[in-house]
């Protein structure tokens, strides 16, 4: 008889151990319990998953999908299809998931294109770049907070690798959610949707009072003052360092200082996302040159 120190309790059988038999209620409970345990003990909010404002569900991120693949011992095999033409970079990726023994479990699919707004445009580095760019390759984007940001067209080749990785990420997340039956726990890729689309999707779940309050905040523009100018300058400089830097600064700012620049949040977000994309491209280029 095994001693208490050497006894092994198997909470979740490996997928292939089920064989071709149907899962019992106990099997399903064990799988759900394991997934919830991993979320509580290993996965971190805003790193592996995140909650979209106005929704009750959580959106699974790439890092979280990888954790679940490791948990259930699943291996991904991506198949890439090129759909781009006339200068567009467009990929469709299908990710097949299999067990360690090679048993096929399921698949997910995802697409990404350089024509998507977030990849087709970037914030201008400065006023000179914007003015020097041909009119048909520049624009002023108006944000939901009554702000605006000057943008120029992105060279599709500069974001080609990012497009491919995003298509793979979307397919992988889709595959993991499907194969682990986690649709009731996670949504898929809602964090990649434009703010306007997310607002439309979740609008029915936001109480009218909250919606009115949000609209009032968006329409409030702080009067010009040295304090506002300084806050705008600091926020813009920090946003150009990326999303992580901007979020860290925002958490440290007092409420009164935040209200000075709330109307420009759309512009800051675009600047931060542009900095993130450039940093990712530079890191990937450095890795490829090693």
């Amino acid at each position: 008889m095994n001693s208490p120190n050497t006894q092994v309790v198997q909470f979740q059988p490996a997928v292939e151990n089920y064989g071709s038999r149907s899962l019992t209620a106990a099997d399903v409970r064990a799988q759900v319990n394991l997934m919830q345990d991993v979320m509580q003990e290993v996965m971190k909010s805003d790193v592996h998953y995140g909650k979209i404002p106005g929704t009750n569900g959580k959106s699974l991120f790439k890092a979280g999908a990888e954790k679940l693949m490791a948990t259930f011992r699943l291996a991904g095999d991506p198949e890439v299809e090129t759909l781009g033409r006339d200068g567009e970079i467009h990929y469709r990726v299908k990710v097949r998931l299999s067990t360690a023994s090679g048993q096929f479990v399921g698949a997910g699919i995802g697409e990404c294109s350089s024509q998507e707004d977030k990849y087709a445009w970037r914030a201008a580095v400065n006023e000179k770049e914007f003015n020097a760019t041909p009119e048909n390759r520049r624009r002023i984007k108006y944000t939901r907070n009554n702000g605006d940001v000057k943008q120029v067209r992105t060279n599709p080749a500069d974001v080609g690798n990012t497009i491919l990785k995003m298509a793979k990420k979307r397919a992988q997340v889709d595959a993991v959610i499907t194969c682990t039956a986690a649709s009731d726990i996670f949504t898929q890729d809602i964090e990649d949707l434009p703010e306007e689309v997310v607002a439309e999707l979740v609008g029915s779940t936001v109480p009218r009072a909250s919606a009115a309050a949000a609209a009032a905040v968006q329409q409030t523009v702080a009067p010009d003052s040295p304090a506002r100018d300084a806050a705008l300058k600091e926020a813009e400089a920090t946003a150009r360092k990326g999303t992580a830097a901007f979020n860290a600064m925002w958490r440290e700012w007092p409420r009164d200082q935040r209200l000075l620049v709330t109307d420009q949040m759309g512009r800051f977000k675009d600047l931060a996302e542009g900095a993130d994309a450039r940093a990712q491209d530079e890191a990937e280029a450095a890795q490829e040159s090693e």
Side-chain angles (χ1 to χ4, degrees), residues 50-286:
K51 184 176 181 181
I52 306 303
T55 68
N56 294 321
K58 300 179 179 66
S59 184
L60 182 63
F61 299 159
K62 178 175 179 289
E66 292 170 346
K67 281 287 184 292
L68 291 179
M69 287 174 63
T71 299
F72 292 100
R73 292 173 173 77
L74 299 173
D77 181 20
E79 300 174 359
V80 181
E81 181 181 359
T82 302
L83 304 176
R85 60 182 180 180
D86 298 329
E88 176 197 16
I89 294 179
H90 187 172
Y91 294 109
R92 176 185 295 151
V93 177
K94 181 178 181 181
V95 172
R96 296 167 53 89
L97 295 185
S98 303
T99 65
S101 64
Q103 180 181 351
F104 174 71
V105 177
I109 194 168
E111 290 189 25
C112 191
S113 166
S114 60
Q115 294 289 2
E116 293 182 29
D117 207 60
K118 67 170 68 176
Y119 303 116
W121 298 90
R122 63 171 176 83
V125 174
N126 51 39
E127 191 75 18
K128 290 182 179 179
E129 182 189 35
F130 182 79
N131 293 333
T133 302
E135 290 188 4
N136 64 340
R137 294 187 60 81
R138 67 183 185 185
R139 73 177 186 180
I140 296 178
K141 179 182 179 182
Y142 298 99
T143 67
R144 297 181 64 206
N145 298 317
N146 293 327
D148 60 73
V149 58
K150 294 181 177 179
Q151 296 182 327
V152 296
R153 288 286 291 186
T154 300
N155 181 359
D158 292 339
V159 294
N161 196 42
T162 302
I163 298 297
L164 177 58
K165 289 191 173 183
M166 180 56 70
K168 177 190 173 186
K169 173 256 181 185
R170 291 172 177 172
Q172 182 170 295
V173 170
D174 180 39
V176 170
I177 290 178
T178 300
C179 295
T180 60
S183 296
D184 57 340
I185 300 177
F186 298 111
T187 57
Q188 197 245 341
D189 285 341
I190 193 172
E191 82 279 6
D192 292 325
L193 297 177
E195 289 183 356
E196 294 81 2
V197 178
V198 174
E200 183 177 347
L201 289 174
V202 305
S204 60
T205 66
V206 180
R208 290 187 177 181
S210 298
V217 170
Q218 292 173 2
Q219 294 172 3
T220 300
V221 179
D224 291 335
S225 67
R228 173 175 164 82
D229 292 342
L232 287 170
K233 184 176 181 180
E234 181 180 354
E236 179 174 334
T238 306
R240 293 186 184 278
K241 298 178 182 178
T243 303
F246 185 84
N247 288 343
M249 177 210 71
W250 192 257
R251 286 193 295 267
E252 295 177 358
W253 272 18
R255 181 174 181 274
D256 291 344
Q257 192 170 6
R258 293 180 181 180
L259 291 177
L260 291 172
V261 300
T262 298
D263 61 299
Q264 295 294 312
M265 286 301 293
R267 182 166 67 91
F268 298 146
K269 178 182 177 183
D270 287 336
L271 289 172
E273 290 181 347
D276 290 344
R278 288 192 294 274
Q280 182 178 354
D281 289 342
E282 291 173 359
E284 292 170 352

